[in-house]
Amino acid sequence: MTDVDPDLQSAASPDLEATPSPALWAERTGTRSYTGRNTRGAQVLIGDSKDEGVFSPGELLQIALAACSALSADHRLAHALGPDFRAVVGVSNAKNQEENRYESMTVEIVTDLSALDEATRAKTLERAELAIERQCTVGRTLAAGASHTIVFTDEAAG
């Protein structure tokens, strides 16, 4: 693969230095079918939303937001609820069909807070929300309206 043109990179983020990120890639495995991979050996099957056993790219975006939010709040919730607290994190969206994009996404963290008194509950939720605002890279990226660039490279893949 080729490097990103330095002029394009500085135009996209004039005040930021490029920070190398871990390698992520997706390999084509069939018609509209890919396997996403990272250098730590993890993989995820990606394909059309009509296909069984795969995540669509839109679903990956949503689950990334949900998981990032939960991971960001996890320490605060564990502090109040104990290290083995149970939680399920859901995500839903409002989609603009005409523009083929999501207008908004809602993350719902479901956990049992009944053991907490009202003051502790309020303080825990406030701290969890602040942790998400500060630490959830996915949410912060979406809120900032991150731009993206597509580059085609002419060479044998693989």
Side-chain angles (χ1 to χ4, degrees):
M1 288 199 218
T2 60
D3 293 329
V4 175
D5 181 337
D7 293 332
L8 287 176
Q9 190 169 10
S10 63
S13 54
D15 298 330
L16 301 176
E17 268 187 47
T19 303
S21 58
L24 298 172
W25 68 98
E27 296 175 19
R28 187 172 191 264
T29 56
T31 302
R32 294 183 51 79
S33 178
Y34 288 78
T35 298
R37 302 181 188 280
N38 68 21
T39 55
R40 296 182 313 279
Q43 59 185 18
V44 61
L45 302 179
I46 307 165
D48 194 285
S49 62
K50 297 173 191 116
D51 294 341
E52 292 295 318
V54 299
F55 284 99
S56 72
E59 290 168 333
L60 288 172
L61 175 66
Q62 292 174 79
I63 203 74
L65 177 61
C68 184
S69 297
L71 288 169
S72 297
D74 196 82
H75 177 74
R76 297 297 182 192
L77 294 173
H79 179 75
L81 301 173
D84 296 327
F85 78 95
R86 295 190 43 85
V88 175
V89 185
V91 61
S92 59
N93 71 71
K95 187 170 183 180
N96 182 325
Q97 294 292 347
E98 288 181 13
E99 296 180 15
N100 192 30
R101 66 179 179 85
Y102 301 116
E103 294 277 345
S104 64
M105 290 177 266
T106 301
V107 172
E108 180 180 15
I109 301 173
V110 179
T111 191
D112 184 1
L113 303 168
S114 64
L116 305 179
D117 62 59
E118 276 303 310
T120 304
R121 182 182 189 278
K123 188 175 185 179
T124 298
L125 293 178
E126 179 183 343
R127 287 181 173 175
E129 288 175 7
L130 287 172
I132 293 168
E133 288 175 17
R134 277 187 256 139
Q135 298 171 14
C136 180
T137 304
V138 176
R140 293 172 61 82
T141 299
L142 290 170
S147 64
H148 68 280
T149 303
I150 306 295
V151 177
F152 284 90
T153 302
D154 183 7
E155 65 182 47

